[in-house]
Amino acid sequence: MRDFYGVTLDNPLMLGTAQYPSPAVLEAAFRESGAAIATVSLRRERGEGQAFWDMVRSLGVHILPNTAGCHSAREAITTAQMAREYFETDWIKLEVIGHDDTLQPDPFELVAAAEALCADGFKVFPYMTEDQVIATRLVEAGCRVLMPWGAPIGSGLGLTNPFALRSLRAAFPDIPLVVDAGLGLPSHAAQAMEMGYDAVLLNTAVAQADDPAAMARAFALAAQAGQIAARSGPMPARDMAAPSTPLIGKAFL
């Protein structure tokens, strides 16, 4: 299993904690999925109160606070510092949004925030596009995990640029990579893991399902299946057919 800042995860599924119909449904989704990490927004938690935080703690998972809703490096840095104090962790999922319609991250503000936070001792999980140049800058800044999107947040489109995601995986073989955002179906999670990604992070596809707990379990199983497939050495794609039944022993008339 890949090392995430000194932590080895036994489940490649990470779940967000927003948009669930109730805390009880959220808890059931985590129990069914066995997700190893829960992302939590400082802004949302402060609005929900201590009861919500106590429930999240009771899940027994690693907490990954995020800077959701931030649009500048300065805002993200301040939010991260508050989150570290409140959640008592150096982990931070760094989100710096640059486009309101697509929620695409701002690459310039993202790198600036990552540089400052890494220098301040944070263990940064940056939400980014699949751009290799930005990935290089983030690694140079000190990030030891990268989280490229599959598609815009909440879109459910799946992996819209599989070529770029495969290229990113090949370019950074020693960096843990997590597909974050845009996954709508368990098959999308399996596809990401089959590419060799180390984990997937999602929220909307589970939280807004008719049965979030069942959907969470489906995503967990799909992610684990994709992980096993990647480790098993999948057969390469071919342009031509290749018979699975050998011709040896066939009668020729």
Side-chain angles (χ1 to χ4, degrees), residues 7-193:
V7 174
T8 301
L9 306 179
D10 58 4
N11 188 320
L13 181 65
M14 306 178 183
L15 281 182
T17 57
Q19 303 183 31
Y20 290 83
S22 70
V25 172
L26 185 158
E27 184 174 6
F30 270 86
R31 300 295 184 199
E32 282 293 313
S33 71
I37 288 179
T39 60
V40 182
S41 168
L42 176 67
R43 297 180 181 188
R44 177 176 185 272
E45 196 287 327
R46 289 174 69 87
E48 297 269 345
Q50 187 63 39
F52 173 79
W53 177 220
D54 290 342
M55 184 274 293
V56 172
R57 277 179 166 170
S58 74
L59 296 173
V61 299
H62 296 282
I63 304 300
L64 178 60
N66 65 42
T67 62
C70 292
H71 288 74
S72 69
R74 181 178 180 181
E75 186 181 10
I77 292 167
T78 300
T79 301
Q81 291 168 339
M82 294 171 62
R84 177 163 64 180
E85 180 178 346
Y86 192 88
F87 295 109
E88 300 178 336
T89 178
D90 290 330
W91 282 19
I92 191 73
K93 182 190 172 191
L94 180 60
E95 298 182 30
V96 187
I97 300 303
H99 192 273
D100 288 335
D101 290 336
T102 63
L103 300 180
Q104 181 172 329
D106 182 321
F108 309 104
E109 295 293 298
L110 178 67
V111 171
E115 289 173 342
L117 291 173
C118 289
D120 193 26
F122 280 90
K123 297 175 175 64
V124 180
F125 294 66
Y127 163 64
M128 53 175 284
T129 61
E130 62 275 71
D131 189 297
Q132 286 195 36
V133 175
I134 301 304
T136 299
R137 297 293 181 269
L138 290 168
V139 171
E140 291 174 347
C143 297
R144 295 296 172 260
V145 175
L146 298 175
M147 304 183 78
W149 69 354
I153 295 172
S155 67
L157 292 172
L159 308 185
T160 57
N161 195 344
F163 170 78
L165 288 171
R166 288 192 187 94
S167 297
L168 189 67
R169 176 71 282 177
F172 296 90
D174 299 323
I175 297 291
L177 298 181
V178 182
V179 171
D180 173 20
L183 304 185
L185 295 170
S187 57
H188 298 156
Q191 183 184 8
M193 298 303 297

